[in-house]
Amino acid sequence: MKRNISYTLVGLTLITCLLVSCKNKKPKDGRTDTYSSGAITFASDESFSPVIEEERELFEFTYPDAKLTPIYTNESEAINKLLKGEVWMVITSRDFKKEELESLKARKQFPRSVRFAYDGLALIQNISNTDSCISVDNIKDILNGKIKHWNQIYPKSKIGEITIVFDNPNSSAVHFVEDSILGGKPILNKNVAAVKKTAEVIKYVEENKGAIGIIGSNWLNDKRDTTNLTFKKEIRPMAVSSVPIANVQNSWKPYQYYIFNGSYPLARTLYILLNDTHMGLPTGFSNFIISQDKGQKIILKTGLLPAYGNLTVRNVRVSNE
């Protein structure tokens, strides 16, 4: 009888050791993050940093065991990091391309995309420039180099040469105008300035009367205004028209409502691109961003249009002063 008890204890000890060993064994890629804990790095186009920072801060507050480290860079570099396996999550303004999906799937990966918001690509001008309406055709001709001076659009203008300013040569803004405005063709205008960050675009426009900056509309939101109907006071967003000759009656600024009803012609979809085979922290953060109770409320507050949730439309009085 004693011998049998001894054998049983030994057997239990061996099984316990095996269970502990399996529990402590890390995946081959070294990941230990879960849906709401651990540490990861993700990449994002720099132009979305204001809204993503608010999402990240609230997520980490909600889940204290989670640590998210963002890499804010241009869109091309962010997606390349995902394709190389350096990150498992990217914030961008485009979906996966067919060849990118095929490449990841061929490596037994699990790529997927999630829509989380819509924004308007905003055209900003110096506050002293009172000619604030522009058509998509005008924009196309400026990018093609056919229009080089303000008086070609507004004959009475005395401002002079037009300079187009982007945040980065490989940013989502550049890709949008080349794909959606120029039909896949490159920008031909030589009078184009590419800085490094969106804040530098705003500063450039503040200091140059003839400049048009092209930025994401989430940078325009004045956080003092809970209605999201005013923009930063140092610059003015232009009203854009889809008809050839723009005027105040047919042109629209990138307000949420005009993105919602389709009036603003430079609207785009924002995506979370994932390659999270573990369904860990990248998946947890992406689901948080699209959650109606928290993540999508941040999207609405920062001036973007949420991809999910019931929107309430209300009439307000807007002052142009």
Side-chain angles (χ1 to χ4, degrees), residues 231-242:
F231 300 105
K232 288 184 177 293
K233 301 298 189 295
E234 298 84 2
I235 49 96
R236 177 190 290 115
M238 301 190 75
V240 183
S241 176
S242 57

Side-chain angles (χ1 to χ4, degrees), residues 211-266:
I212 298 176
I214 301 182
I215 63 175
S217 60
N218 70 105
W219 281 85
L220 299 175
N221 180 31
D222 187 336
K223 293 183 179 180
R224 297 167 298 179
D225 177 17
T226 57
T227 66
N228 288 333
L229 292 175
T230 59
F231 300 105
K232 288 184 177 293
K233 301 298 189 295
E234 298 84 2
I235 49 96
R236 177 190 290 115
M238 301 190 75
V240 183
S241 176
S242 57
V243 300
I245 300 176
N247 57 49
V248 293
Q249 284 77 34
N250 62 25
S251 303
W252 313 94
K253 293 185 179 182
Y255 291 125
Q256 288 165 320
Y257 178 67
Y258 297 141
I259 297 171
F260 173 75
N261 70 10
S263 296
Y264 191 71
L266 303 181

Side-chain angles (χ1 to χ4, degrees), residues 181-202:
I181 298 178
L182 297 178
K185 297 178 182 179
I187 298 169
L188 299 178
N189 192 333
K190 301 299 181 182
N191 199 22
V192 173
V195 290
K196 294 181 179 180
K197 296 181 179 181
T198 305
E200 294 177 12
V201 176
I202 295 173

Side-chain angles (χ1 to χ4, degrees), residues 76-285:
S76 296
E77 181 62 25
I79 294 175
N80 283 337
K81 285 182 177 296
L82 183 74
L83 298 176
K84 292 177 182 178
E86 296 176 8
V87 297
W88 302 288
M89 176 180 176
V90 165
I91 310 295
T92 179
S93 67
R94 72 164 176 85
D95 204 345
F96 281 110
K97 294 179 180 180
K98 181 180 178 181
E99 58 270 23
E100 293 168 346
L101 284 173
E102 292 175 348
S103 174
L104 290 170
K105 289 179 179 179
R107 288 179 270 159
K108 310 297 182 183
Q109 302 297 301
F110 183 46
R112 55 199 175 93
S113 61
V114 179
R115 289 181 298 110
F116 73 94
Y118 306 96
D119 86 332
L121 197 67
L123 308 183
I124 59 173
Q125 63 183 167
N126 188 282
I127 196 72
S128 65
N129 190 345
T130 58
D131 298 323
S132 58
C133 295
I134 193 167
S135 71
V136 175
D137 285 351
N138 291 153
I139 300 166
K140 185 175 181 179
D141 286 342
I142 291 170
L143 295 169
N144 281 331
K146 294 179 181 179
I147 292 178
K148 297 181 180 180
H149 295 85
W150 280 99
N151 61 13
Q152 292 177 264
I153 304 173
Y154 289 92
K156 295 181 180 181
S157 176
K158 298 180 180 179
I159 290 180
E161 198 170 38
I162 300 173
T163 302
I164 297 291
V165 192
F166 290 99
D167 51 347
N168 189 286
N170 294 308
S171 71
S172 60
V174 172
H175 294 159
F176 181 87
V177 300
E178 289 182 339
D179 294 341
S180 300
I181 298 178
L182 297 178
K185 297 178 182 179
I187 298 169
L188 299 178
N189 192 333
K190 301 299 181 182
N191 199 22
V192 173
V195 290
K196 294 181 179 180
K197 296 181 179 181
T198 305
E200 294 177 12
V201 176
I202 295 173
K203 183 179 179 181
Y204 189 101
V205 173
E206 288 175 347
E207 297 173 350
N208 295 271
K209 293 182 179 180
I212 298 176
I214 301 182
I215 63 175
S217 60
N218 70 105
W219 281 85
L220 299 175
N221 180 31
D222 187 336
K223 293 183 179 180
R224 297 167 298 179
D225 177 17
T226 57
T227 66
N228 288 333
L229 292 175
T230 59
F231 300 105
K232 288 184 177 293
K233 301 298 189 295
E234 298 84 2
I235 49 96
R236 177 190 290 115
M238 301 190 75
V240 183
S241 176
S242 57
V243 300
I245 300 176
N247 57 49
V248 293
Q249 284 77 34
N250 62 25
S251 303
W252 313 94
K253 293 185 179 182
Y255 291 125
Q256 288 165 320
Y257 178 67
Y258 297 141
I259 297 171
F260 173 75
N261 70 10
S263 296
Y264 191 71
L266 303 181
R268 56 183 181 171
T269 305
L270 306 187
Y271 294 91
I272 303 168
L273 303 186
L274 293 162
N275 188 29
D276 184 16
T277 55
H278 291 258
M279 302 295 285
L281 199 52
T283 299
F285 186 39

